[in-house]
Amino acid sequence: MDNQPDILRYQRDRSLADAPVFSVGLQLRLPDNTKVYLALGATEFTLTFSDDTALHYDLQRRFTKLVTLADYHRRSLSGKILHTVKADGIHRSIVSDDVVELANKCVLAVQRAFDTAAVEFARPGNAPDLFRPLLDLAAHFDIAASRADAARFRTLYRDVAILPPDQYNAIVFQATEGCAYRGCLFCDFYRDRPFRAKTPEEFAAHVDAVVAFHGKTHRNSIFLGEANALTLPHETLMEMLRILRARFDLPISSFVDAFTKQPDFAALGLSRVYVGMETGDDDLLRWLRKPATAESVTATVTAAKAAGTSVGVIVLLGAGGERFAASHVRETVRVLNALPLGRGDYIYFSPLVVKPGSAYEAPLLSPEQIWNQEQALRTGLKFFSKPYVARYDIESFVY
Ligand code: SF4
């Protein structure tokens, strides 16, 4: 078949047939003249329609995304739907799961018309035979299946409140649940969830259940949750890591507190730890009720780096409002520049988000002031070998 697929207009700069993730592709014209392009990549199965709507399914044929030219719906493993619209900036919200039903209707229409559709492009030649079972599996993921899958997720995790941005795609295993401290003024992630530490036996059962839930997956790192898993006794942690390493050859990372006993980084052998530094200003840290200091953050980062563990440092943009704005920038730049960070490390700038009912009551900086603060911080950074510096928008996170 000589025809080239003509649906995937976003593949502007290269022939679709050359795109490695779409090495298996099939373009159909349905009896109602709708065109659809089915593609199988290493990590997903997609259907793209002539109006540029694209549906994405993961390797387990769970619906993961509906993308149009105007917006974007993403279904997380927990069943939450994050809706993102780009118009005068990026607007995100959690919406109902109606989009799962919509996606399912589209897939069912393709499935029903499959045998009578005209094949306009097929690569390889037997692509129709390859796609039929994929389509049948995707068609099973209706709203009832989605809700049942989300209910199963909640038996494993209850919730995954937050991850660092470079770990959004990690497989999460929870050695602990919640946060043992829960006192920081600005943090609502675990406010209503009691802290709980798992025993190694419970953790092993959790790992079995999580592996079964994920099935075949393209996720290529492990995050050991939740907020302060590394406060567990050393032997417990080592046993949990042994359980993980017996099953996976993947990098493992975790959050680490700068206000509790320092873990033995060298023995743990984690690939990266993430420190919520928030600010280099000790007065502001006290005001935020975060029981760390610039000195304890520096000691934690230095110990991790000395053990060969890379570090992600998280700074809270807008912390303390105008009252602390100047000292926040000045002290944060001073402390960051003194940290032994370099290539392979991360500095994240995370704008403060205050949810209704939060204990944080000070006046907030405007988006423009936040942006200016971020620029001032970025400008102040002077590293010989620069760590990766990025925004960390916690509202973009769903797991
Ligand atoms: S910022 Fe970290 S230590 Fe503070 S309450 Fe939140 S999770 Fe706990």
Side-chain angles (χ1 to χ4, degrees):
M1 191 143 326
D2 295 320
N3 291 348
Q4 283 294 302
D6 58 6
I7 289 191
L8 299 183
R9 283 186 274 279
Y10 62 84
Q11 293 280 346
R12 272 190 201 100
D13 301 334
R14 59 180 171 177
S15 152
L16 181 70
D18 294 336
V21 291
F22 292 112
S23 57
V24 183
L26 175 68
Q27 182 168 299
L28 301 176
R29 182 186 290 274
L30 307 185
D32 67 358
N33 260 338
T34 309
K35 284 187 179 188
V36 59
Y37 186 86
L38 290 78
L40 179 63
T43 60
E44 61 178 359
F45 165 50
T46 60
L47 298 92
T48 304
F49 295 84
S50 21
D51 66 354
D52 286 317
T53 299
L55 304 175
H56 296 242
Y57 288 80
D58 69 11
L59 298 179
Q60 293 293 306
R61 311 303 164 225
R62 288 180 174 110
F63 165 70
T64 57
K65 273 184 281 187
L66 185 150
V67 182
T68 74
L69 293 180
D71 63 355
Y72 182 102
H73 285 85
R74 186 152 77 83
R75 180 190 180 276
S76 66
L77 285 172
S78 63
K80 284 183 194 149
I81 308 286
L82 180 69
H83 183 214
T84 304
V85 184
K86 261 192 185 174
D88 296 331
I90 295 176
H91 306 277
R92 298 187 182 94
S93 54
I94 300 294
V95 297
S96 82
D97 58 0
D98 293 349
V99 69
V100 177
E101 186 132 26
L102 176 66
N104 189 242
K105 274 189 186 151
C106 297
V107 171
L108 285 172
V110 177
Q111 187 199 32
R112 284 186 195 121
F114 195 81
D115 291 332
T116 50
V119 175
E120 296 189 330
F121 171 84
R123 177 181 170 169
N126 66 341
D129 299 336
L130 299 174
F131 278 108
R132 169 167 278 295
L134 299 182
L135 201 54
D136 291 345
L137 283 172
H140 274 106
F141 202 80
D142 59 10
I143 201 154
S146 172
R147 287 175 183 171
D149 196 58
R152 189 173 164 209
F153 175 95
R154 285 192 295 278
T155 66
L156 303 173
Y157 294 113
R158 286 196 303 170
D159 194 17
V160 175
I162 192 69
L163 293 176
D166 56 299
Q167 296 297 322
Y168 281 6
N169 215 20
I171 311 175
V172 174
F173 294 100
Q174 293 177 334
T176 58
E177 293 176 355
C179 167
Y181 172 59
R182 284 192 288 165
C184 299
L185 198 58
F186 58 90
C187 175
D188 292 312
F189 287 132
Y190 309 103
R191 190 99 48 208
D192 304 323
R193 295 170 51 195
F195 176 78
R196 197 172 82 84
K198 290 186 177 136
T199 62
E201 293 72 28
E202 275 180 281
F203 184 73
H206 171 68
V207 170
D208 286 343
V210 169
V211 167
F213 175 76
H214 278 281
K216 190 176 174 196
T217 177
H218 64 281
R219 293 169 190 266
N220 56 8
S221 67
I222 288 176
F223 193 84
L224 189 67
E226 287 200 85
N228 22 47
L230 301 194
T231 57
L232 287 174
H234 180 73
E235 274 317 314
T236 305
L237 257 182
M238 290 300 287
E239 179 56 24
M240 290 176 169
L241 290 171
R242 267 193 291 275
I243 290 167
L244 289 175
R245 288 180 175 134
R247 298 185 82 135
F248 300 97
D249 183 19
L250 293 175
I252 303 175
S253 59
S254 185
F255 288 120
V256 64
D257 297 322
F259 54 86
T260 48
K261 189 173 70 67
Q262 220 171 74
D264 183 344
F265 291 112
L268 298 179
L270 300 173
S271 72
R272 183 171 295 131
V273 291
Y274 299 85
V275 184
M277 166 177 155
E278 324 306 351
T279 177
D281 179 357
D282 283 347
D283 289 338
L284 177 53
L285 279 171
R286 266 190 296 280
W287 185 85
L288 292 169
R289 298 188 202 146
K290 182 124 192 178
T293 60
E295 194 183 339
S296 69
V297 168
T298 303
T300 302
V301 172
T302 304
K305 291 291 297 177
T309 304
S310 70
V311 176
V313 178
I314 302 154
V315 172
L316 189 62
L317 292 177
E322 288 192 30
R323 178 179 158 198
F324 287 95
S327 59
H328 180 29
V329 170
R330 185 187 65 243
E331 293 304 298
T332 301
V333 165
R334 183 184 65 77
V335 175
L336 285 175
N337 281 334
L339 294 178
L341 301 178
R343 206 173 294 281
D345 299 312
Y346 289 70
I347 295 174
Y348 286 122
F349 293 124
S350 182
L352 172 68
V353 174
V354 177
K355 299 237 168 89
S358 166
Y360 189 101
E361 285 177 343
L364 302 178
L365 296 189
S366 69
E368 191 187 352
Q369 287 173 310
I370 294 276
W371 190 87
N372 288 338
Q373 187 169 88
E374 181 177 353
Q375 299 320 303
L377 287 161
R378 283 174 179 263
T379 307
L381 296 181
K382 305 274 183 258
F383 284 97
F384 178 67
S385 167
K386 235 188 165 193
Y388 178 74
V389 180
R391 257 281 170 129
Y392 180 177
D393 280 308
I394 60 172
E395 288 180 310
S396 69
F397 177 75
V398 279
Y399 187 79

